[in-house]
């Protein structure tokens, strides 16, 4: 047991920190061929460190908590280790050098007796994956040195040695064959275990499904029993109901006879009602004819109303156009009125300018050869302060016509000034007449006209 195997030694640092994973798995469930120990000596000298060489097989993958322990021969479970060392995981398992590993046991923690021990590789599940040949810890003594004194003994020893070598080779071949067979059997066992686990999983699922189906059937059975009880109770109620209905049927048959008799009476009444209905139908036909005539009259009135509405719409459109034209005429009249006021202002300005020019020239109105008739004589009125008469008399006459010169509008035939007359006056060009030589100048050449009149006084 672990307590007995650890007596007489101090636990390693790894043991004080954490014990390795072990199990109570017996030797029959171990796999000794997945890790192979190499260069194991028959005995090791006490007081020296021991290096353990081992190799991983192709299908074995080491894990973080794997360890190698020294076990006394005859152990039963992995809990009976003497000492152990943690396994160092290789970086790349595909590399050939990574499969060759070693671990070193310090001399202080090794056994001190001469019992047989062996190395065992244990994975993190506590299962042995490889075991070495037995070895001892004992010093080399004189008994191990054989002194040959005779030729016969030498030949006998050589013959015995050859037989041992041959037997050792056969054992090695047998061991390799057994290891290969064990590996194949392990692979087959692993496959069988996987198949078994799969079958167990399927079996569990089937058992669970069967249990669920069984529970469902039991539930259905209970529901059917409850329904059966309900149906039995309802059947009894229906029997009572049938008796009641039969009694009601007898009563209804008697009532039916009474109804048949009453039906005959109603048939006679129905004949009478049919005759009255025929009279009403004739009356209804006449009413429908009158209604059709009324509908035709209403339709005619609707058409007349539609025509009147169209005519009203046309009149409204015409009225809208007339209102629009009236608004435009009012706008034109206002514009012409403003233009008239502007022209009157310019006329007053020109009168003052003419008076200034005549005063500047030193002329007297009485010495002018031309006299403009006064307004009393029917003319536009001559300004007594002008030497040569009013140069804008044409303008004044055109802008202030006498009642006799007013003509009717050719468009609207009105006697007074209308919008059309004002529009025509606005479109006529404004001219300036020389009072001496009757030369006409456009109104835009005002300065030239003044210079021309000034030249007559020179």
């Amino acid at each position: 047991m672990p307590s007995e195997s650890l007596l007489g030694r101090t636990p390693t640092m790894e043991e004080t920190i954490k014990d390795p994973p072990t199990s109570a798995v017996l030797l029959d469930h171990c796999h000794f061929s997945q890790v192979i120990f190499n260069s194991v000596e028959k005995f090791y000298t006490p007081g020296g460190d021991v290096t353990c060489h081992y190799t991983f097989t192709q299908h074995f993958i080491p894990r973080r908590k794997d360890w190698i322990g020294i076990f006394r021969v005859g152990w039963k479970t992995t809990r009976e280790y003497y000492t152990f060392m943690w396994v160092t995981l290789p970086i790349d398992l595909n590399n050939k050098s990574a499969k060759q590993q070693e671990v070193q046991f310090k001399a202080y923690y090794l056994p001190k007796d001469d019992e047989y021990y062996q190395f065992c590789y244990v994975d993190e599940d506590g299962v042995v994956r490889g075991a070495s040949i037995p070895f001892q810890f004992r010093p080399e003594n004189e008994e191990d040195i054989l002194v040959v004194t005779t030729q016969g003994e030498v030949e006998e020893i050589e013959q015995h040695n050859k037989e041992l070598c041959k037997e050792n080779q056969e054992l090695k071949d047998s061991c390799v064959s057994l290891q290969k067979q064990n590996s194949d059997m392990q692979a087959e066992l692993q496959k069988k275990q996987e198949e078994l686990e799969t079958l167990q999983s399927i079996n569990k699922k089937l058992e669970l499904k069967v249990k669920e189906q069984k529970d469902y059937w039991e539930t259905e059975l209970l529901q059917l029993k409850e329904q059966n009880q309900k149906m039995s109770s309802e059947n009894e109620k229906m029997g009572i109901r049938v008796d009641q209905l039969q009694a009601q049927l007898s009563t209804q048959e008697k009532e039916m006879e009474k109804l048949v008799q009453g039906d005959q009476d109603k048939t006679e009444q129905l004949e009478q009602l049919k005759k009255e209905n025929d009279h009403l139908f004739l009356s209804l036909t006449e009413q429908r004819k009158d209604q059709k005539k009324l509908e035709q009259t209403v339709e005619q009135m609707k058409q007349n109303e539609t025509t009147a509405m169209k005519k009203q719409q046309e009149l409204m459109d015409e009225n809208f156009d007339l209102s629009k034209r009236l608004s435009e005429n009012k706008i034109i009249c206002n514009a012409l009125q403003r233009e008239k006021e502007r022209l009157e202002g310019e006329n007053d300005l020109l009168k003052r300018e003419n008076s200034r020019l005549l005063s500047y020239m030193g002329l007297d109105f009485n010495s002018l050869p031309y006299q403009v008739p006064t307004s009393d004589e029917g003319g536009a009125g001559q300004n007594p302060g002008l030497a040569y008469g009013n140069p804008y008399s044409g303008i004044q006459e055109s802008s202030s016509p006498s009642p006799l010169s007013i003509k009717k509008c050719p468009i609207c035939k009105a006697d007074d000034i209308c919008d059309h007359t004002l529009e025509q006056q606005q479109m006529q060009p404004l001219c300036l007449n020389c009072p001496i030589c009757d030369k006409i100048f456009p109104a835009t050449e005002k300065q030239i006209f003044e210079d021309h009149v000034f030249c007559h006084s020179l």
Side-chain angles (χ1 to χ4, degrees), residues 219-363:
T219 305
E220 288 289 329
L221 182 60
L222 290 174
Q223 291 179 356
L224 290 173
K225 287 181 179 180
E226 292 178 356
Q227 290 179 0
N228 190 13
Q229 292 177 358
K230 290 180 180 180
M231 291 295 291
S232 298
S233 177
E234 290 179 358
N235 192 12
E236 293 177 358
K237 292 179 181 179
M238 290 297 292
I240 297 171
R241 182 61 177 169
V242 167
D243 295 336
Q244 293 176 356
L245 291 174
Q246 286 179 353
Q248 291 179 1
L249 182 60
S250 299
T251 305
Q252 289 178 357
E253 286 177 353
K254 294 178 180 180
E255 292 178 355
M256 183 63 70
E257 292 177 356
K258 294 179 181 179
L259 290 174
V260 168
Q261 183 64 34
D263 188 37
Q264 292 177 357
D265 298 336
K266 289 182 180 180
T267 303
E268 295 176 357
Q269 294 177 2
L270 183 61
E271 292 293 335
Q272 184 66 28
L273 291 173
K274 283 183 179 180
K275 293 178 181 180
E276 294 178 359
N277 191 17
D278 293 335
H279 294 295
L280 291 173
F281 182 74
L282 294 174
S283 177
L284 180 61
T285 304
E286 294 176 357
Q287 289 179 3
R288 286 180 179 176
K289 291 179 181 179
D290 296 337
Q291 184 178 1
K292 287 183 179 179
K293 292 180 181 180
L294 291 173
E295 288 177 355
Q296 292 175 358
T297 305
V298 170
E299 186 67 25
Q300 184 66 30
M301 292 177 67
K302 286 182 178 179
Q303 292 178 359
N304 295 334
E305 183 181 0
T306 303
T307 305
M309 289 179 68
K310 289 182 179 178
K311 189 173 182 179
Q312 183 182 3
Q313 185 65 31
E314 291 175 357
L315 293 173
M316 289 176 67
D317 295 339
E318 186 177 356
N319 188 17
F320 178 75
D321 294 337
L322 292 175
S323 299
K324 186 176 180 181
R325 289 175 60 186
L326 180 61
S327 300
E328 291 176 354
N329 291 332
K330 287 182 178 180
I331 294 171
I332 293 171
C333 182
N334 294 330
L336 293 174
Q337 187 68 26
R338 288 194 297 272
E339 184 66 20
K340 179 183 176 182
E341 293 174 358
R342 185 181 66 79
L343 291 174
E344 290 177 354
E346 290 182 357
N347 191 13
D348 295 337
L349 183 62
L350 290 174
K351 287 179 179 180
R352 290 194 297 271
E353 184 67 22
N354 193 11
S355 299
R356 186 183 64 79
L357 289 173
L358 290 175
S359 300
Y360 177 76
M361 292 169 61
L363 297 178

Side-chain angles (χ1 to χ4, degrees), residues 31 97 133 261 372 423:
H31 309 277
S97 61
I133 60 174
Q261 183 64 34
V372 180
E423 185 176 358

Side-chain angles (χ1 to χ4, degrees), residues 45-57:
T45 304
D49 298 338
V50 175
T51 302
C52 174
H53 301 275
Y54 58 94
T55 304
F56 296 123
T57 58

Side-chain angles (χ1 to χ4, degrees), residues 69-94:
I70 297 177
F71 290 79
R72 182 180 296 174
V73 176
W75 59 274
K76 299 296 182 182
T77 63
T78 55
R79 296 177 180 175
E80 300 177 13
Y81 65 91
Y82 184 87
T83 186
F84 78 98
M85 291 293 294
W86 295 107
V87 172
T88 302
L89 295 178
I91 299 174
D92 187 7
L93 289 174
N94 296 324

Side-chain angles (χ1 to χ4, degrees), residues 194-211:
E194 292 177 356
E195 292 178 356
L196 180 61
E197 290 176 356
T198 304
L199 291 173
Q200 287 177 353
S201 177
I202 294 172
N203 190 20
K204 287 180 180 179
K205 291 180 180 179
L206 290 174
E207 288 178 354
L208 182 61
K209 189 174 182 180
V210 168
K211 184 178 179 181

